Amino acid sequence: MIPFAENIGLRINTISVLSSAAAILLLYLVAVKLIQNYRGKQPANLFEALAIYISSAIGALSFAFSDTFGSTVQKQKFMPLVLFYLQELHI
């Protein structure tokens, strides 16, 4: 699956890290879309756009650095699943 390493542990951890990063990115995109849908219009000026993007970034980064997301046992097993859930939610 990942041909660059012989060590299976390194492969699994790499998949875990990449899927965690992609899940946080998708969480940010979902938050932006939800805020824009809630407001019902596109941002009219730069201040409104920055408010949407910064608040979404704060939410995604807060989840990324929380204890719930940071557990290594959960990360190895459930991050690919969280990635697929967020991908479905984003579509």
Side-chain angles (χ1 to χ4, degrees):
M1 189 169 189
I2 298 178
F4 64 83
E6 292 293 323
N7 188 356
I8 191 68
L10 178 64
R11 289 182 187 182
I12 291 173
N13 287 335
T14 303
I15 291 172
S16 173
V17 167
L18 293 176
S19 61
S20 297
I24 294 300
L25 175 66
L26 282 174
L27 179 64
Y28 168 77
L29 294 174
V30 166
V32 167
K33 187 181 275 190
L34 283 174
I35 292 172
Q36 287 177 347
N37 286 341
Y38 178 73
R39 296 186 71 185
K41 60 179 180 175
Q42 293 296 324
N45 54 22
L46 181 64
F47 179 72
E48 289 180 2
L50 284 176
I52 292 172
Y53 299 139
I54 290 174
S55 62
S56 298
I58 288 172
L61 288 173
S62 296
F63 183 67
F65 292 110
S66 68
D67 289 335
T68 305
F69 188 74
S71 173
T72 55
V73 174
Q74 290 176 352
K75 214 180 252 192
Q76 287 180 355
K77 295 183 180 179
F78 299 120
M79 279 309 113
L81 183 65
V82 169
L83 175 64
F84 289 126
Y85 283 158
L86 285 172
Q87 187 177 15
E88 289 294 323
L89 185 63
H90 182 54
I91 292 174

